[in-house]
Each structure stands twice: as C-alpha cells, then as structure tokens.
Amino acid sequence: MFKKILIANRGEISLRVIRACRELGIKTVAVYSEVDANSLHVRFADEAICIGPAPSAKSYLNIPQIMSAAEITGAEGIHPGYGFLSENIKFAEICESVGIKFIGPRSPMIAAMGDKAVAKETMMKAGVPVVPGSDGIVKDLKEAKELMHQIGLPVIIKATAGGGGRGMRIVRLESEFENAFNTARSEAQTAFGNPDVYIEKFIEKPRHIEIQLIGDQHGNVFHLGERDCSMQRRQQKLIEESPSPAVDAELREKIGGAAVRGAKSVNYESVGTIEFLMDKDKNFYFMEMNTRIQVEHCVTEMAYGIDLIKWQIRVAAGEKLPFKQSELKPRGHAIECRINAEDPDHGFRPSAGKIHAFHTPSGFGVRVDSHAYAEYQIPPTYDSMIGKLIVHGETRQEAIEKMYGALDEFIIEGIKTTIPFHKQMMRNPNFVSGDIDTKFVERLLNM
Ligand code: MV4
C-alpha cells in the first residue's frame, strides 16, 4: 500500500481524497495555487506545496510543477481527482515513466476511451448497444444523405472535434438536411478547426443514465448500478440520483451487464463510468466512457454503502476486489444537489465573493462534501461548485423530503447559490414523479 499520495487537485474532491487516505493510513500531499493558500485541502493535508499563481495553466495544469512536488515530497502515487489532469494522457504517461502510480487507468486506456470513434468501436465489438449512425466521419453530402435514409429521421449531426453538446445539429425534415449538413461542417471548421462530422439517429428526450464501474489489476470488473443525471442545464449536471426512477432491477442488470462487458473487453482497471442515453422505451445507447472518478460518485457510495475512493486507491496498489456482483445492490435512494456559487435568478451567472455565514445541514442520512467555510473567499478563477449536498433515504420520496429539509437548513450568506433552485426542484411535480429528461430543466427555465 502507498505510504504517501499527492492529490493533484483542489476543492471538495481534494478533501475527499485526503479523508480516504487518512482512513487508509496514507500520508497526503496537497498542491495549491497562491489564491488557494487558505483552502481546507491545504490545511488538512499532511504536507502542502504551492505550485504557482492562480491561473490553472500555471498551477493545477502545470505538469512539471506537480511532478516536482511529488519528487520533493517522495509521493509514490498521484490522485488526479476529476477535471484538471484526470484524463490527461501525457500526465499519466509521465507518471508511468518515473514510476509514480497514476491513480486511474493506464495511459493507453485513457487515450482509447478519450477517442470517441475508438470508444464506440470498442463498445460495439463488446456487444454494448451504440446509437445507430455513421461508421465514423461522413466524407461528403452524398454519403450523408444515404445514411439519413438508412437511419431514418430525426438525425443529429455532430462535429467530431466537438463535445459537451457543442457542434450538434438536429434535422427533422429531409428538406433541411443538405443545408444543415453544410452549415454543421462550416461551423465545425470555424469553432474547432476541423470540419469533420458524423451522423447518428437522434434519441428524443433521452435520460442520461451512467453506470459506475470498478476494476482491479487481476481482471475483475464490477458495476455499482446506475446514476440518473438527467437534471442538467447546458451540459452541466445539477441534480443526480441513484438508483434511477426509470430503472428497475431487471433493466439494471441489463445496462450494468453491458457496461461490465465493455469494460472487461479492454481489461479496464480503476474506477470509471459508462454514460448511456436512454429513450422513453428503455432502449439504452453507449454515449461515452469517463476514465476518472466523477463529481457525483457520492450518490453511488450512499446507495451501495461503498467508499469508491478507498477502493480506487486499493486497486491502484494492486489489491484484488473482494466483491460478488450478485451482492452489489442499491439500498434505499440517494440524491445529490450541486451547490454552485451561481445566481439562478440571473441565468446561473457566477457569484464569486466572500462567504460571511456558512451553516451546513446534518442529521440521519445527510452528507455535505464541501471545501467552503465562513469567511472563505471564493476565487473566480475555478469552476463555481463550492460543495455537494447528498441525502440517503429508505425511499425516493423520503430522500426528496430529506433533501428539501437539508437545503432549508443550509445557510450560505454573502453570495448567491443554487440552493433556492434545488428547493424548487424538490417540489416540482415532474421531478417528484420522475417524469424528466435531459432537456427538462432548460424547458422549465424557457431557455
Ligand atoms: C445525443 C442526444 C440525442 N441523440 N445523441 C449532449 C452532449 C454529448 N454528451 C452528447 N449529447 C447528446 N447526444 C443522440 N444521438 C442528446 C444529447 C444531449 C444530452 C445528452 C446527455 C445529457 C444531456 C444532454 C443535453 C442535451 C443533448
């Protein structure tokens, strides 16, 4: 087992990894930018190294500085958290080349799953359902039209260099197709410097269902059920839950089994998530695979009673997973609300500044993962999430009630937050009945 791990991240996820290491008897090294000198991850780590000024490029993305910090402190492993360098192939390669364990999959795996076409091909070979569409990039209008007729309308045209919802164009009428195809290509050239597009069957009003996976270095891969992340706004997740109100035990086994087949086909190790689109008829289609721990991992932890970060560290140290898939079942229901320093009454615009009062909720089944505190000055440099509120109840209804009460107890003064928005959602009839999809929030806000 590692004696010392450096966490190449900041904020709540850095605190989360510090806690897991503490419980595993592992010493921790925090890295921080000048503006983060008073952050809690600096305070609670065993050692802390300043790696540069505020801009991420000069600090949390500064590979030489991070590697120097690891060398100076003798860290044997580096946990990248999420975002920043967590899926950076070069960073994983550098760690591998100097014998420091990158706590995640090996660099070739990050590369493979990071290439949309390779990932889709891999999943197809493993029998994982993928969205019907072109086999890679569509080279010209003639081929595109043939595909449109094969797939059937509506179709979606996607820029291969796009991502996160950018460079996508839906076509519902044949008469629109030629113009849409040409416009999509020229917009892709302008936006990404690459005009290449591919075409897929458009899945109407999909849910975003993702499967939590964990694999060890002995060929074992398990799934820990699904998370429903359909409550999004402009590709930003706001509320996540496990299990999904749209998935029963039988469907869970189907989707989870498909995800495990996909992961096993590439000998996946570490934690990972396979994202699916699911239509109203419960057909599910592979979207992408994330080779890192995710913000919303906590709802899986609460529903399955498993500490994912500790197991991620154990498998990185070579331990064998002691699980039996048949015993990995969700119990009760967990919901997470992302607490962002944003103003929901003004287009969720950032609301950085100084927090004057900070009181967190608690009670049975209430968890707050946050690096914020009273008098904390939120830097405008990084993303706006200042914490996550997670609740666990025996039923979804109880979890919703518990979430509403916890949000009501959550006092943050001095900045605007998404708390009022989340309270409204816990009282929204569609959310409460589970009748939502990935465009629900945007329709609700008339975006
Ligand atoms: C789709 C789709 C419907 N049909 N592909 C959005 C970003 C990227 N992850 C893929 N996305 C979508 N791809 C087909 N064939 C709908 C979306 C989509 C979406 C997917 C997941 C979560 C939120 C979303 C919001 C808008 C669109």
Side-chain angles (χ1 to χ4, degrees):
M1 178 48 85
F2 305 105
K3 291 188 183 60
K4 188 183 283 188
I5 285 175
L6 179 145
I7 300 109
N9 214 303
R10 65 180 298 279
E12 67 87 16
I13 191 62
S14 191
L15 269 186
R16 174 75 188 82
V17 176
I18 287 169
R19 288 176 178 141
C21 290
R22 184 194 303 149
E23 291 176 26
L24 290 170
I26 299 170
K27 293 290 182 202
T28 51
V29 178
V31 292
Y32 64 97
S33 67
E34 290 158 4
V35 77
D36 274 343
N38 297 322
S39 291
L40 290 185
H41 73 286
V42 176
R43 181 177 181 138
F44 295 142
D46 296 299
E47 296 172 72
I49 308 277
C50 183
I51 50 171
S56 299
K58 295 192 164 85
S59 49
Y60 297 105
L61 293 173
N62 187 330
I63 296 177
Q65 287 284 70
I66 291 169
M67 296 316 290
S68 302
E71 199 177 346
I72 292 167
T73 55
E76 298 147 317
I78 294 182
H79 196 300
Y82 50 67
F84 294 124
L85 298 167
S86 61
E87 296 184 300
N88 184 301
I89 302 156
K90 191 96 201 79
F91 183 59
E93 283 172 346
I94 289 168
C95 292
E96 288 155 7
S97 68
V98 300
I100 291 180
K101 179 68 180 165
F102 177 83
I103 297 176
R106 297 175 199 283
S107 52
M109 182 62 64
I110 300 172
M113 293 303 116
D115 178 320
K116 278 186 275 230
V118 170
K120 197 167 178 178
E121 185 61 32
T122 305
M123 295 300 157
M124 280 169 79
K125 280 189 186 131
V128 178
V130 299
V131 182
S134 58
D135 181 13
I137 291 152
V138 179
K139 61 178 183 302
D140 58 30
L141 180 61
K142 181 173 176 299
E143 182 187 346
K145 276 185 173 172
E146 281 161 14
L147 266 163
M148 176 193 67
H149 289 119
Q150 269 171 36
I151 298 167
L153 290 173
V155 294
I156 184 168
I157 303 170
K158 292 183 174 179
T160 195
R166 291 178 308 146
M168 296 192 326
R169 188 170 276 270
I170 301 162
V171 180
R172 294 185 183 282
L173 297 172
E174 184 161 346
S175 58
E176 296 168 353
F177 186 79
E178 179 164 343
N179 180 45
F181 178 75
N182 294 327
T183 311
R185 281 180 53 82
S186 60
E187 283 177 356
Q189 175 58 45
T190 310
F192 315 114
N194 174 352
D196 290 341
V197 296
Y198 57 100
I199 295 177
E200 290 178 349
K201 168 187 162 69
F202 179 64
I203 311 297
E204 295 281 4
K205 299 176 79 174
R207 296 183 88 111
H208 172 128
I209 301 292
E210 57 186 37
I211 297 289
Q212 179 65 59
L213 295 159
I214 184 162
D216 60 25
Q217 297 182 45
H218 308 275
N220 302 303
V221 180
F222 299 96
H223 76 80
L224 290 158
E226 78 283 357
R227 290 186 291 263
D228 193 323
C229 306
S230 304
M231 292 294 283
Q232 303 196 12
R233 175 184 178 275
R234 295 188 180 172
Q235 306 302 317
Q236 297 298 315
K237 296 167 183 171
L238 286 163
I239 300 175
E240 304 101 337
E241 56 184 307
S242 177
S244 165
V247 174
D248 62 15
E250 187 188 347
L251 183 54
R252 178 167 305 114
E253 221 172 298
K254 241 178 106 184
I255 307 180
V260 167
R261 270 199 313 280
K264 272 193 169 157
S265 75
V266 292
N267 276 320
Y268 192 79
E269 60 182 75
S270 191
V271 298
T273 297
I274 293 186
E275 294 184 354
F276 294 95
L277 290 171
M278 188 168 85
D279 68 18
K280 61 185 177 351
D281 304 323
K282 316 281 185 186
N283 300 304
F284 56 93
Y285 305 96
F286 171 78
M287 199 163 37
E288 59 191 66
M289 179 167 197
N290 302 321
T291 56
R292 66 180 189 276
I293 194 71
Q294 301 200 206
V295 170
E296 62 271 20
H297 75 276
C298 307
V299 292
T300 302
E301 294 191 319
M302 302 285 273
Y304 283 78
I306 285 183
D307 184 320
L308 279 163
I309 305 290
K310 284 167 84 171
W311 282 110
Q312 182 183 26
I313 294 168
R314 291 189 184 112
V315 297
E319 289 189 27
K320 188 173 178 297
L321 289 167
F323 306 142
K324 277 201 188 69
Q325 186 63 61
S326 58
E327 291 167 4
L328 294 169
K329 298 239 180 279
R331 196 191 133 279
H333 201 97
I335 301 174
E336 173 181 272
C337 287
R338 296 193 187 198
I339 311 300
N340 299 337
E342 295 169 348
D343 183 353
D345 295 331
H346 293 87
F348 289 77
R349 71 186 179 200
S351 166
K354 189 163 193 150
I355 292 174
H356 293 300
F358 192 76
H359 172 77
T360 56
S362 58
F364 186 63
V366 177
R367 165 176 169 180
V368 177
D369 279 28
S370 175
H371 58 291
Y373 53 87
E375 300 309 312
Y376 175 56
Q377 177 76 32
I378 302 172
T381 323
Y382 310 109
D383 80 37
S384 60
M385 192 176 82
I386 54 174
K388 302 163 336 191
L389 171 56
I390 307 105
V391 300
H392 178 269
E394 289 305 309
T395 64
R396 182 169 191 265
Q397 190 47 45
E398 185 184 71
I400 289 174
E401 284 315 309
K402 201 180 282 274
M403 180 59 84
Y404 188 87
L407 287 164
D408 207 39
E409 280 182 44
F410 210 149
I411 299 167
I412 304 179
E413 290 174 359
I415 57 163
K416 296 285 187 185
T417 72
T418 45
I419 290 173
F421 167 80
H422 290 307
K423 286 176 76 174
Q424 281 179 1
M425 288 306 105
M426 293 305 128
R427 288 284 179 270
N428 175 284
N430 291 72
F431 177 77
V432 172
S433 65
D435 176 22
I436 50 116
D437 60 80
T438 54
K439 283 292 194 186
F440 170 70
V441 170
E442 291 177 11
R443 284 197 303 271
L444 191 71
L445 301 174
N446 303 318
M447 284 173 59

